[in-house]
Amino acid sequence: MWRNLRSLQILRIDVISPTQFGRPFRLLASLRELDVSGDTGFCSVRAMTKSFLINMPHLEIIDLSACNLTSFSADALITQRNLTILNISYNERLTFASFENLSRSLQFSKIKVFKANKIHCTFGLGTMIQVSDIMLFQNTPLEELYLDNNRLAIIESNVLKFLPHTLKTLSLVKNRLTIGRYLLQFKSLSGLEKLDVSFQYFSPSFDKVRDAFFCQNPVRICKNKMNEYSLKYEKMSDECSFPPFDISLPRNLTTVILRGNGLRTDIRDVQFCPNNNLAHLDMSQNPITSFSGPFHGLKKLIYWDLSECHCPSLTVFFFNYTKSLKVLKLNKNLLGKILENDTDGETFKNLVNLEELDLSDNQIQNLPIKIFKHLRNIHKINLKSNSMTQWNVNVHHIWNLIEIDLSGNLLRQLNDKAMLSFSELFKRITSMTISLAYNPFACTCESKHFIQWSFQNRKYISDFQNITCTLDNGTSIGLQRAVGYLEVYCTNYQIVTFLISSLIIFFVLITISGLVYRYRWKLRYIYYMTRNKYRLSSPLQNDTFIFDAFISYAEEDGDFAVNESIVQLEDLRGLQLCLSKRDFRPGTEIAANITEAITKSRKTIIVLSDNFLNSYWCMFEFNMARMESIYTRSGKDVLFLIMYRHVSTKTLPLSMLALVDSRSYIEYPDDPQGNIVFWDKIAETCSRPS
């Protein structure tokens, strides 16, 4: 059967114990890979002995995972001198106790990759790896060692020193390791480039609980044979001049992964020996309480993952000594409040070489304008899944910016300043894109400018087809459709708004005009009284008036109003009159003189005639006297009407007609006998009360 398969290179086959590969398999001289894994087929080998693979001496890759292995003999793989990759994972009863025989048979091979993941049961006490288990591995050219998910809790002293210097990758994921003295021995792994110790104390899924009753490994007793080995391994050399608690790293180590280790702590002032080459540091998924820092000695760090730590605090000096950093992931933290208060951009001031910054899902509501002012070399900024309602950040100074992700925020539109800033960036950086999807944009006339801007710059918006906006009725439509809708809707809306606004303004003007007209004399009275510095709330007392009467008359009635009144009232009856031609102050406005005369006079005598009604200043004097009576003298009568010439009641203003109807006037008799009574009556009315 096998005679015609001499060029066969890969063989995947089921194996049932105690089957072994017989002499015909020697014909497969080209066979390089053997896969008997129970993951891809069926495998039940139990005990691995020399006879199992003795007829396949040319194998380079052997996969014995999930084969129910329980033991290895000391010479099980001694014939596999060309072996480079060995996978014995998922043999849960094999345990680290098999390593001593396994390493003995591999020490003369070309082994480079050794996978021993989950070779212990899921539940039980923590396991231990001893010096005797891996001592002979130092004779191999091993480059990659995977010991994941083995409940590894104790590493015997100096175990790491016996791993070969050729080791480049060490994976200890999903074990039970904590901080201990063994960390000081990692420096002895001079060739180590990648160390993964993620998810320590990882909790298995609930469906694995039944394994606790069917799979239990025996507890190992430490042999402690260290004293039997060379004393050259007893003491680790330390070239670092820092204090003992500073962290020494292998000189070739570039990647450290510490993801999901439950580091519930405040990271403060961490010291690394400066001769390290660490470039990739993953500390994500740890419940860190504060990014306090700083981290000293990481001069070559270019990638730092601090995501999913749910950390609410970040100091402005945390990144002081990581100037070489190019990629920084801070997504899924709680840094919104801290960043909002950083108005001068001090948090990222030392990250002058940063190219990618991820601040997504940080509960950011607002970012200061200068938050990114020092990030002149940034290429990508990720701010999606936050709570930002506006974008006011200045990014115009960033010449290499090619991507900003603002999707999944609470933006209803971009303001004019933001749109102008992005437009200038689009002109300068033709490859730049922004993401705006999954924001509650509004389809209103207020956001019309933004909708039009988005449509015009759609080639720069990477997710333009996924962007929607919401109408007033709650309906969501795409931006392309929204442009046409708003063109029609807002035009009609503006016309209706203009008409309604015009009607409102017209109505308000009419109302104001009516009120001004109705209270025109009151307003004028208040104006002139204010200019004359009189207080409206304090009426003059009877004994403070300078004049007994102010005579208001038309020019045509001057002979009677001036000549006769002076003789009859001043000369014969001793009254003090105020006459415009005689007592008004020169150089003062007429209106001011009139209001001052009325205010300083006990009475205002109106010489009524058709000439009086046709005179503007006469009517002004009448209305000012009427306002004086109402608002300054608490309703006391100030006006005294003399019907000098008969006037028809049809021509009288309503305000004057009310005085005539109430008989608050006196007619001029124009006869010698009646004149005496006429002037006596006027004198009696205008005289100072006794």
Side-chain angles (χ1 to χ4, degrees):
M1 172 182 173
W2 304 103
R3 191 171 295 136
N4 298 319
L5 298 175
R6 294 178 183 274
S7 60
L8 184 67
Q9 296 183 10
I10 301 174
L11 174 61
R12 178 175 297 157
I13 190 170
D14 293 341
V15 174
I16 302 175
S17 182
T19 304
Q20 64 184 48
F21 294 94
R23 290 186 61 81
F25 284 90
R26 287 185 176 273
L27 299 174
L28 306 180
S30 300
L31 189 63
R32 294 294 180 265
E33 180 177 346
L34 175 65
D35 183 356
V36 295
S37 172
D39 288 336
T40 56
F42 180 84
C43 181
S44 180
V45 178
R46 303 290 181 181
M48 179 64 65
T49 62
K50 179 180 179 181
S51 60
F52 184 74
L53 296 173
I54 193 170
N55 294 310
M56 294 180 168
H58 305 295
L59 291 175
E60 297 177 2
I61 302 174
I62 299 176
D63 190 346
L64 295 169
S65 60
C67 281
N68 295 313
L69 282 169
T70 59
S71 65
F72 271 86
S73 65
D75 57 356
L77 299 174
I78 198 168
T79 59
Q80 305 302 319
R81 298 298 180 93
N82 296 316
L83 184 62
T84 58
I85 300 176
L86 175 62
N87 188 356
I88 62 169
S89 302
Y90 303 102
N91 292 290
E92 298 182 3
R93 288 178 171 81
L94 195 57
T95 74
F96 289 139
S98 64
F99 273 27
E100 186 170 354
N101 286 341
L102 186 60
S103 62
R104 193 176 298 278
S105 62
L106 287 174
Q107 62 179 323
F108 303 112
S109 68
K110 298 178 181 178
I111 187 71
K112 292 184 180 298
V113 179
F114 179 37
K115 295 183 178 181
N117 300 326
K118 205 175 190 316
I119 59 172
H120 286 80
C121 297
T122 303
F123 297 94
L125 296 175
T127 59
M128 171 190 289
I129 190 167
Q130 302 177 4
V131 172
S132 58
D133 298 335
I134 53 87
M135 181 184 66
L136 296 179
F137 275 113
Q138 65 181 319
N139 300 324
T140 68
L142 188 64
E143 295 181 358
E144 299 180 24
L145 177 59
Y146 299 90
L147 301 175
D148 302 343
N149 205 3
N150 281 306
R151 301 201 323 264
L152 181 59
I154 301 176
I155 298 178
E156 188 182 4
S157 179
N158 297 306
V159 162
L160 297 178
K161 298 177 183 179
F162 284 94
L163 290 174
H165 294 293
T166 56
L167 189 65
K168 295 181 179 179
T169 300
L170 177 59
S171 179
L172 299 170
V173 177
K174 294 183 181 179
N175 283 291
R176 298 185 178 182
L177 297 174
T178 58
I179 296 175
R181 291 182 59 85
Y182 68 92
L183 294 175
L184 300 175
Q185 299 176 10
F186 270 106
K187 189 177 180 182
S188 63
L189 301 176
S190 58
L192 192 65
E193 297 177 358
K194 180 179 179 180
L195 174 63
D196 190 348
V197 287
S198 302
F199 302 110
Q200 302 304 308
Y201 285 87
F202 176 81
S203 298
S205 59
F206 187 77
D207 60 354
K208 298 289 185 181
V209 172
R210 61 185 300 274
D211 294 350
F213 301 96
F214 298 99
C215 182
Q216 287 289 339
N217 302 128
V219 178
R220 295 184 69 194
I221 305 299
C222 180
K223 298 178 182 180
N224 196 14
K225 294 185 178 181
M226 185 59 207
N227 293 332
E228 301 178 10
Y229 307 129
S230 174
L231 294 177
K232 69 177 181 179
Y233 298 111
E234 287 185 359
K235 188 176 181 180
M236 181 177 69
S237 60
D238 188 2
E239 300 174 0
C240 181
S241 59
F242 281 82
F245 54 84
D246 293 343
I247 301 174
S248 298
L249 300 177
R251 62 175 177 270
N252 292 319
L253 185 64
T254 59
T255 302
V256 174
I257 303 176
L258 302 170
R259 185 187 305 125
N261 285 326
L263 297 176
R264 190 179 298 276
T265 182
D266 178 4
I267 302 178
R268 293 178 177 270
D269 202 15
V270 181
Q271 300 276 350
F272 289 88
C273 290
N275 58 347
N276 71 83
N277 290 293
L278 188 63
H280 183 117
L281 179 58
D282 187 346
M283 298 172 61
S284 61
Q285 300 182 33
N286 286 290
I288 297 173
T289 57
S290 177
F291 297 134
S292 297
F295 276 57
H296 298 270
L298 299 180
K299 297 181 179 180
K300 297 183 180 180
L301 188 67
I302 60 174
Y303 180 98
W304 199 353
D305 192 344
L306 293 167
S307 62
E308 300 184 61
C309 293
H310 304 287
C311 181
S313 177
L314 174 64
T315 63
V316 295
F317 49 81
F318 186 75
F319 301 110
N320 276 4
Y321 303 100
T322 54
K323 293 184 178 181
S324 59
L325 202 62
K326 292 187 177 181
V327 178
L328 176 60
K329 292 186 175 294
L330 288 168
N331 51 299
K332 292 190 177 180
N333 282 289
L334 304 171
L335 303 177
K337 292 295 183 182
I338 291 293
L339 296 178
E340 285 179 20
N341 296 328
D342 185 11
T343 55
D344 293 326
E346 295 296 305
T347 302
F348 306 116
K349 66 180 177 181
N350 290 295
L351 302 181
V352 293
N353 295 306
L354 194 67
E355 296 179 358
E356 182 176 341
L357 176 61
D358 191 345
L359 290 171
S360 61
D361 202 355
N362 262 284
Q363 297 185 7
I364 299 172
Q365 296 182 0
N366 184 37
L367 282 176
I369 296 176
K370 300 180 181 179
I371 188 68
F372 301 137
K373 74 174 184 179
H374 298 287
L375 304 182
R376 296 187 176 276
N377 292 310
I378 196 76
H379 293 171
K380 298 180 180 180
I381 300 176
N382 189 348
L383 289 164
K384 69 178 181 180
S385 301
N386 281 294
S387 302
M388 299 178 63
T389 57
Q390 57 183 345
W391 175 258
N392 295 316
V393 181
N394 182 16
V395 292
H396 191 262
H397 62 289
I398 305 177
W399 287 84
N400 298 315
L401 188 62
I402 60 174
E403 181 180 329
I404 294 182
D405 193 341
L406 297 175
S407 60
N409 279 275
L410 299 177
L411 299 171
R412 291 184 62 82
Q413 64 176 337
L414 295 179
N415 57 42
D416 292 341
K417 186 176 180 180
M419 288 187 285
L420 178 60
S421 177
F422 281 132
S423 296
E424 292 178 354
L425 285 174
F426 295 155
K427 294 178 182 178
R428 194 176 69 204
I429 309 172
T430 56
S431 60
M432 180 183 172
T433 61
I434 61 174
S435 299
L436 295 172
Y438 310 112
N439 279 286
F441 294 124
C443 289
T444 62
C445 294
E446 290 76 11
S447 62
K448 177 183 175 183
H449 185 203
F450 164 70
I451 302 296
Q452 292 175 333
W453 176 87
S454 301
F455 182 75
Q456 294 168 359
N457 294 280
R458 59 188 180 277
K459 69 176 182 179
Y460 300 106
I461 302 176
S462 59
D463 49 6
F464 178 80
Q465 298 301 325
N466 297 325
I467 302 177
T468 61
C469 62
T470 305
L471 301 173
D472 292 335
N473 61 6
T475 305
S476 295
I477 60 175
L479 289 193
Q480 187 166 357
R481 181 184 169 193
V483 173
Y485 171 81
L486 292 179
E487 284 289 343
V488 177
Y489 174 77
C490 293
T491 301
N492 296 335
Y493 177 78
Q494 289 172 355
I495 294 173
V496 173
T497 302
F498 174 77
L499 292 175
I500 293 175
S501 300
S502 300
L503 289 174
I504 293 174
I505 293 173
F506 178 76
F507 176 76
V508 171
L509 291 176
I510 291 297
T511 303
I512 293 174
S513 300
L515 291 173
V516 170
Y517 180 78
R518 180 177 179 181
Y519 297 104
R520 63 192 183 281
W521 293 112
K522 178 180 178 180
L523 294 174
R524 295 178 72 177
Y525 173 76
I526 292 173
Y527 169 73
Y528 287 112
M529 288 297 292
T530 302
R531 290 189 58 182
N532 289 338
K533 300 181 181 179
Y534 282 91
R535 298 179 60 188
L536 300 178
S537 59
S538 301
L540 294 172
Q541 302 299 321
N542 290 336
D543 58 347
T544 61
F545 296 113
I546 299 174
F547 304 101
D548 293 306
F550 167 62
I551 309 297
S552 176
Y553 61 93
E555 287 292 332
E556 293 81 358
D557 304 324
D559 287 340
F560 166 77
V562 176
N563 298 333
E564 288 194 39
S565 62
I566 290 176
V567 174
Q568 295 293 334
L569 296 177
E570 282 193 342
D571 296 344
L572 299 178
R573 292 171 175 82
L575 297 181
Q576 183 65 42
L577 302 178
C578 179
L579 300 169
S580 58
K581 289 186 176 182
R582 185 186 68 182
D583 298 305
F584 278 12
R585 290 185 297 171
T588 304
E589 292 182 42
I590 296 176
N593 270 317
I594 291 171
T595 54
E596 185 177 358
I598 292 171
T599 303
K600 293 181 178 181
S601 301
R602 186 174 290 103
K603 293 286 184 179
T604 297
I605 298 174
I606 303 298
V607 180
L608 187 59
S609 65
D610 288 330
N611 295 325
F612 185 94
L613 296 176
N614 294 327
S615 171
Y616 170 79
W617 287 113
C618 287
M619 292 305 298
F620 180 84
E621 291 169 349
F622 166 75
N623 283 291
M624 288 297 102
R626 189 165 59 87
M627 294 299 106
E628 173 79 8
S629 175
I630 296 171
Y631 296 107
T632 301
R633 305 199 191 178
S634 304
K636 293 181 179 180
D637 193 10
V638 173
L639 285 166
F640 186 81
L641 267 64
I642 296 176
M643 191 71 73
Y644 178 59
R645 296 282 186 265
H646 179 73
V647 178
S648 173
T649 56
K650 295 181 179 180
T651 61
L652 291 176
L654 291 177
S655 56
M656 190 175 291
L657 185 61
L659 291 175
V660 174
D661 289 342
S662 63
R663 296 207 173 267
S664 297
Y665 70 95
I666 187 173
E667 292 186 8
Y668 179 61
D670 198 15
D671 67 81
Q673 197 66 31
N675 286 351
I676 296 173
V677 177
F678 171 79
W679 292 112
D680 286 342
K681 188 66 176 177
I682 294 175
E684 179 184 349
T685 302
C686 298
S687 298
R688 178 178 299 182
S690 58

